[in-house]
Amino acid sequence: MADTDAQLRILVYSSNHRTRDQVRSALGRRIHPDLPELSYLDVATAAVVVEQVAAGGFDLLILDGEAAPAGGMGLAKQLKDEVAECPPILVLTGRPDDAWLASWSRAEAAVPHPIDPIRLGEAVAHLLRNTV
């Protein structure tokens, strides 16, 4: 059983506040009874993502591949190349066929827009189970 006082920290990056809201709404506070509660940090710019990830403390990064001007896939590749202990990354792709680009970016998972709460929840739970 998970420690009820622990929280898993997720950074959610998108230049679109609606996308960030959709991610948080789809995942909620707890995605599975065996995992601790989730806490979120919403980020709208790539520079802040880099700063926050360098500071550490995140269990998962969710990056919007459709963000502008810096897309989540390029940002994922940059983070994987530059941050020694980069947390797992899930990229939100523009379409299912873009999964190969997410793989190129070294993201551990990809979920296409529009956000499907079940598909996103399953992918996030899988990634978090491997980090807890």
Side-chain angles (χ1 to χ4, degrees):
M1 183 58 95
D3 178 0
T4 56
D5 292 334
Q7 286 192 335
L8 296 170
R9 292 191 67 215
I10 299 175
L11 182 146
V12 179
Y13 164 68
S14 179
S15 56
N16 184 331
H17 72 89
R18 287 186 196 101
T19 299
R20 296 189 308 267
D21 291 346
Q22 289 172 350
V23 168
R24 282 186 284 99
S25 177
L27 297 175
R29 300 290 291 157
R30 187 177 294 260
I31 58 172
H32 194 278
D34 293 340
L35 290 171
E37 272 193 16
L38 306 178
S39 68
Y40 302 96
L41 176 66
D42 283 5
V43 178
T45 66
V48 174
V49 171
V50 172
E51 176 184 298
Q52 290 292 321
V53 173
F58 292 98
D59 298 290
L60 177 66
L61 311 176
I62 299 176
L63 309 177
D64 184 6
E66 300 300 298
M73 286 186 242
L75 188 53
K77 179 128 177 48
Q78 176 184 348
L79 292 169
K80 289 295 186 174
D81 289 347
E82 296 177 2
V83 177
E85 293 186 26
C86 187
I89 296 176
L90 181 146
V91 173
L92 302 171
T93 61
R95 56 197 179 113
D97 291 345
D98 291 338
W100 72 272
L101 284 170
S103 177
W104 164 85
S105 74
R106 298 176 51 204
E108 284 81 1
V111 173
H113 284 282
I115 294 171
D116 175 344
I118 293 173
R119 191 169 183 178
L120 181 62
E122 288 173 350
V124 167
H126 175 76
L127 292 173
L128 291 174
R129 279 193 182 98
N130 291 333
T131 63
V132 176

